Amino acid sequence: DVKVTQSSRYLVKRTGEKVFLECVQDMDHENMFWYRQDPGLGLRLIYFSYDVKMKEKGDIPEGYSVSREKKERFSLILESASTNQTSMYLCASSSAGPSNQPQHFGDGTRLSIL
Amino acid sequence: AQKVTQAQTEISVVEKEDVTLDCVYETRDTTYYLFWYKQPPSGELVFLIRRNSFDEQNEISGRYSWNFQKSTSSFNFTITASQVVDSAVYFCALRGGSGNTGKLIFGQGTTLQVKP
């Protein structure tokens, strides 16, 4: 089974802090994704990566950056955390095979910015 | 533009009732892929099913069934004889066929509560 592991289930940080969310997958997937989930808005794509050191902006990249130095690891960075970034963050991965390959998700990180 | 609409925000049923979750999508791609995911209270999204645009066969898996109709751009999900364990948020998602970046467009989600 595919395993996508997010480093923290719950995280509390302060406004202005630099925050790192880590995600690791063990299936040698080429594609990795970061979403945030907010009530009534579903999942919105922040950034994605289809190869090591490659990244593409999603629908809501403002205030975030990402890093993919190794194939299995995709990090989301909040450069200067703000209260409107309090949310549930979900990481996912998928293979670069046929387009019907599903994304596999981690357990999510509930991030609170105080 | 691609869009997925799940008009039902919340549904509440009593155990053993049948329930249908609606999903309507918009895309200009001739080839596309549809997915359903379940998010239980624990938080992780669990993949349930995928459907290719060129395959309109309906599918049944135990108590779950999916009705794909291209004519109405719908991909509805029915749970027969619902159980308390079915309580979760359900997401419908769409991926276009062009390119292979794997991006998914999600609907807003439908929260299903099954009461004992």
Side-chain angles (χ1 to χ4, degrees):
Chain A
D1 278 355
V2 176
K3 186 67 176 176
V4 179
T5 303
Q6 294 184 229
S7 52
S8 305
R9 290 299 303 270
Y10 301 93
L11 205 54
V12 180
K13 296 290 182 181
R14 297 209 172 271
T15 303
E17 281 192 64
K18 191 169 186 176
V19 181
F20 293 85
L21 302 183
E22 307 287 345
C23 175
V24 176
Q25 50 94 5
D26 66 358
M27 282 302 292
D28 201 36
H29 282 166
E30 292 79 7
N31 301 330
M32 295 190 74
F33 308 83
W34 274 108
Y35 296 88
R36 65 177 281 175
Q37 181 182 359
D38 300 289
L41 298 177
L43 276 72
R44 293 180 293 167
L45 183 64
I46 304 171
Y47 267 97
F48 66 101
S49 168
Y50 52 88
D51 202 352
V52 176
K53 297 192 185 295
M54 304 300 288
K55 60 184 179 183
E56 293 279 345
K57 291 181 179 179
D59 300 318
I60 52 165
E62 296 77 19
Y64 303 94
S65 62
V66 290
S67 171
R68 190 147 181 222
E69 297 296 319
K70 294 184 178 181
K71 191 174 185 180
E72 67 271 18
R73 186 180 297 271
F74 192 36
S75 303
L76 180 69
I77 303 156
L78 285 66
E79 296 290 344
S80 178
S82 63
T83 54
N84 63 11
Q85 292 178 309
T86 291
S87 186
M88 171 76 136
Y89 289 87
L90 290 157
C91 174
S93 72
S94 70
S95 74
S99 292
N100 64 352
Q101 295 303 305
Q103 291 183 13
H104 298 271
F105 285 81
D107 290 345
T109 296
R110 288 200 178 276
L111 176 64
S112 295
I113 306 296
L114 305 179
Chain B
Q2 298 182 327
K3 185 179 179 182
V4 176
T5 302
Q6 294 177 254
Q8 303 150 307
T9 304
E10 292 183 18
I11 301 175
S12 181
V13 299
V14 177
E15 210 170 16
K16 298 185 183 178
E17 282 186 34
D18 298 347
V19 58
T20 296
L21 309 182
D22 297 333
C23 173
V24 174
Y25 62 91
E26 296 175 28
T27 181
R28 292 181 180 174
D29 290 340
T30 53
T31 300
Y32 52 90
Y33 308 90
L34 296 162
F35 302 81
W36 275 95
Y37 284 85
K38 174 183 180 180
Q39 186 180 39
S42 52
E44 82 281 12
L45 265 77
V46 177
F47 164 67
L48 295 177
I49 192 172
R50 66 183 158 218
R51 176 61 69 220
N52 305 331
S53 56
F54 44 86
D55 179 5
E56 284 196 73
Q57 271 193 331
N58 292 327
E59 182 154 339
I60 299 174
S61 176
R63 295 184 297 106
Y64 294 171
S65 62
W66 291 269
N67 184 337
F68 176 34
Q69 292 196 338
K70 287 179 76 170
S71 60
T72 56
S73 298
S74 65
F75 186 40
N76 296 337
F77 173 29
T78 297
I79 302 174
T80 303
S82 60
Q83 300 176 2
V84 172
V85 294
D86 296 327
S87 298
V89 183
Y90 291 86
F91 290 96
C92 180
L94 165 71
R95 175 186 299 152
S98 54
N100 195 21
T101 59
K103 285 177 62 176
L104 282 174
I105 306 298
F106 283 87
Q108 303 92 319
T110 297
T111 299
L112 174 64
Q113 183 181 32
V114 181
K115 299 177 181 177

